[in-house]
Amino acid sequence: MRFQISTTVPGNYLDVMGQFDRRLFEYLAPPSSVAEIVAFTGSQTGDRVHLRFRRPWTAEWVSEITEHGQDGNSAWFVDEGTVLPFGLRFWRHRHVVERVDEDVSRIVDDIAFKFRFSLITVLAFPLVYLAFLPRRRLYKTYFTKGSV
């Protein structure tokens, strides 16, 4: 299953990508009562992100940054799950920041996932999508000039 969520934000695409750091990750992460950030080493190839979920049950989620790069109109990095919770069998999240114009960018969350059983993947789709939909508002707030 795959979907994309796009959000237009103020800022040059390279400046916006440069802010994909621990501070932004903490801002986007679930509340600390739900998940703890065990490790966040960055968003370049070889870096790791490790979450420990506390609710609804205890679970580990570890992703490795498997790719990062930029060209004249976009910058990106990809995290792929290496330890996944909740019966997930595959997770790939491509974070892309595209140049719209000199001072406007588009953030694209391109997410692909798969559960052990196809039916569960289909049934989980709305929940996974809805879990990422608030990022549109969060990105807009975070990247509004003067709020960072």
Side-chain angles (χ1 to χ4, degrees), residues 8-13 15-16 99-105 145:
T8 302
V9 298
N12 175 276
Y13 76 101
D15 294 337
V16 170
R99 179 182 189 269
V100 174
D101 68 34
E102 193 57 36
D103 294 319
V104 178
S105 298
K145 292 186 190 291

Side-chain angles (χ1 to χ4, degrees), residues 16 19 35 41 50 54 62 73 97 101 104 108 116 121 124 126 133 145 148:
V16 170
Q19 293 181 63
T41 61
H50 181 179
R54 298 178 175 141
V62 179
N73 291 308
V97 181
D101 68 34
V104 178
V108 179
R116 179 179 298 170
T121 301
L133 196 56
K145 292 186 190 291
V148 201

Side-chain angles (χ1 to χ4, degrees), residues 23-34:
R23 182 176 172 212
L24 176 58
F25 187 70
E26 289 172 350
Y27 183 76
L28 297 172
S32 60
S33 63
V34 174

Side-chain angles (χ1 to χ4, degrees), residues 24-37 49-56 61 86 131-132 134-135 138:
L24 176 58
F25 187 70
E26 289 172 350
Y27 183 76
L28 297 172
S32 60
S33 63
V34 174
E36 165 194 6
I37 300 171
V49 177
H50 181 179
L51 292 174
R52 180 172 294 126
F53 285 88
R54 298 178 175 141
R55 291 187 186 161
W61 185 315
F86 318 125
F132 279 85
R135 284 190 175 208
L138 293 170

